[in-house]
Amino acid sequence: MDIVSSTLAAGGNAAAASESPIPMWFMITSGIVVVAILVFDLLLVVKRPHTPSMREASIWVAFYVALALAFAGALFAIGDTQHGSEFLTGWLLEYSLSIDNLFVFIIIMGSFSVPRKYQQEVLMVGIIIAIIFRGIFILAGAAIINAFVEVFFIFGIFLLIVAYRQAFGNEDDGDGENGLIRFLRKRINVVDEYHGNKLRVTLDDNKKYWTPMFIVFVAIGSTDVMFALDSIPAIFGVTQNAFLVFTANVFALMGLRQLYFLLGGLVDKLVYLHYGIAAILAFIGVKLVIHALSSSDWEFLSWGHSIPEVPTWLSLTFIVLAMAVATIASLMKMKKEGVSFKDIRDDESEEA
């Protein structure tokens, strides 16, 4: 408990900590506000399952982006430039990586033929699962960093490997089912058709069966865990303050459901986006290795103390430029191929 408290207050690493701790009243107040918004959003989905219109999705995405920017502004006001810039960079990093989640969500929704009416509910459950697991990973990561700063070597190398796979891997998306789903299908009774948003039903033979909705929840949840393994080491390369790490993750995930409906099929057309994400992961991976070299107590690495740390403003600039270049290049390719946003929307309407 002492480790968690000290990490929340001081960021868990003196070299990267801000000049003054974030006030406890601010952390508690912002936590209450965020939870209240998430609960309201969840109740809205449960009470009124539907496919959001472009206007509704746009308003919600704009609201969550404005909320994150307001939070960053509040940090600048009550903390200092370091707190605000670290959150802003971390949020943009996690937002960029969360867009990668959309590719997998689209594959899962398509492979399981989830009715569009219930896709909001599936995404909301997936986001809640992601927040829970990322919270666990953040606390574990903060504790490990406090005890063993050289873990940044592991984080950095891991991100470099992930970046390489993002850019040059030839991953087979398959049917959207991972090993866990295949394991469950062999051991539990699952019906083929959906029964509304029910997870389990009793059929005419008086036997209980799990519905495809349950399998989809498991697929989304297990996928979220794998994404957390990538994103948590990455954001620790921006800040070691557990409060900032967690809030950046939450704000990045909160608008993901609406972004899914806003972008829709456009995500598949952003063919160069994975190169932008790979570049960001590689950059953060190098930054983590540099941080480990400059902070390590290992005597044979004492030469690394003279290497300057990568400043937060440079990380922020690189993330924005990488995503902008990847997006613009993808849109130019779409234009060259004669694919318009209207065509994508028309295809979605026909599928619905």
Side-chain angles (χ1 to χ4, degrees):
M1 192 66 184
D2 290 340
I3 292 175
V4 175
S5 301
S6 62
T7 305
L8 288 171
N13 190 305
S18 302
E19 294 178 4
S20 58
I22 300 172
M24 185 59 68
W25 66 264
F26 180 84
M27 291 193 286
I28 294 173
T29 303
S30 56
I32 292 173
V33 171
V34 167
V35 170
I37 293 173
L38 282 173
V39 170
F40 174 78
D41 205 1
L42 177 61
L43 291 175
L44 192 65
V45 171
V46 173
K47 295 292 184 181
R48 194 169 67 93
H50 66 291
T51 300
S53 64
M54 283 285 292
R55 181 175 181 274
E56 180 184 344
S58 300
I59 290 173
W60 275 103
V61 169
F63 169 73
Y64 281 127
V65 169
L67 196 64
L69 294 176
F71 183 82
L75 282 171
F76 277 108
I78 61 97
D80 54 19
T81 304
Q82 185 73 14
H83 282 135
S85 58
E86 284 182 0
F87 168 78
L88 195 58
T89 305
W91 170 67
L92 282 174
L93 170 64
E94 291 300 325
Y95 207 81
S96 302
L97 297 179
S98 69
I99 293 176
D100 198 30
N101 291 34
L102 294 181
F103 287 101
V104 179
F105 287 166
I106 290 171
I107 292 170
I108 292 174
M109 296 291 188
S111 63
F112 289 103
S113 301
V114 180
R116 288 186 67 83
K117 180 180 179 180
Y118 298 110
Q119 287 183 6
Q120 279 210 89
E121 185 174 339
V122 172
L123 291 169
M124 194 67 195
V125 171
I127 288 168
I128 292 173
I129 292 173
I131 289 173
I132 293 172
F133 276 103
R134 291 186 188 204
I136 295 171
F137 289 163
I138 288 166
L139 291 177
I144 293 171
I145 290 168
N146 274 338
F148 183 58
V149 71
E150 285 77 16
V151 74
F152 282 115
F153 282 120
I154 300 174
F155 285 174
I157 293 171
F158 173 72
L159 289 182
L160 289 172
I161 293 172
V162 174
Y164 178 84
R165 289 178 177 173
Q166 271 277 349
F168 307 109
N170 185 23
E171 297 182 1
D172 182 15
D173 292 328
D175 57 2
E177 292 194 7
N178 56 31
L180 178 59
I181 300 301
R182 289 190 288 271
F183 174 84
L184 287 176
R185 282 192 179 277
K186 293 178 181 178
R187 286 160 179 81
I188 63 175
N189 295 324
V190 182
V191 294
D192 293 330
E193 66 279 357
Y194 286 88
H195 291 258
N197 58 358
K198 293 180 180 179
L199 301 181
R200 207 171 187 193
V201 293
T202 302
L203 299 185
D204 296 336
D205 58 3
N206 290 325
K207 289 184 179 180
K208 290 183 179 294
Y209 293 84
W210 295 101
T211 69
M213 186 66 76
F214 170 74
I215 300 296
V216 172
F217 282 157
V218 175
I220 292 287
S222 57
T223 301
D224 282 333
V225 173
M226 298 307 297
F227 276 114
L229 292 176
D230 294 348
S231 66
I232 298 305
I235 195 170
F236 270 121
V238 175
T239 176
Q240 287 84 62
N241 186 304
F243 173 71
L244 296 182
V245 171
F246 183 71
T247 50
N249 269 273
V250 171
F251 278 107
L253 290 168
M254 276 168 46
L256 189 60
R257 173 172 59 84
Q258 291 84 0
L259 193 64
Y260 171 88
F261 291 100
L262 179 62
L263 296 180
L266 179 63
V267 176
D268 277 335
K269 301 299 181 181
L270 298 177
V271 294
Y272 296 123
L273 194 63
H274 66 285
Y275 288 115
I277 293 172
I280 292 170
L281 289 172
F283 177 87
I284 300 297
V286 171
K287 180 179 178 179
L288 285 172
V289 173
I290 292 174
H291 177 71
L293 285 170
S294 62
S295 305
S296 176
D297 293 329
W298 291 344
E299 188 174 342
F300 71 95
L301 293 177
S302 58
W303 54 271
H305 295 175
S306 60
I307 301 176
E309 292 267 13
V310 178
T312 303
W313 67 264
L314 182 57
S315 300
L316 177 60
T317 304
F318 187 89
I319 292 169
V320 172
L321 285 177
M323 291 304 294
V325 170
T327 302
I328 292 171
S330 298
L331 293 175
M332 290 176 64
K333 182 176 174 63
M334 283 176 55
K335 185 177 180 181
K336 185 178 180 181
E337 294 175 348
V339 179
S340 67
F341 188 71
K342 183 178 181 300
D343 295 332
I344 295 171
R345 284 298 169 194
D346 290 342
D347 291 341
E348 287 182 346
S349 299
E350 291 176 5
E351 291 175 4

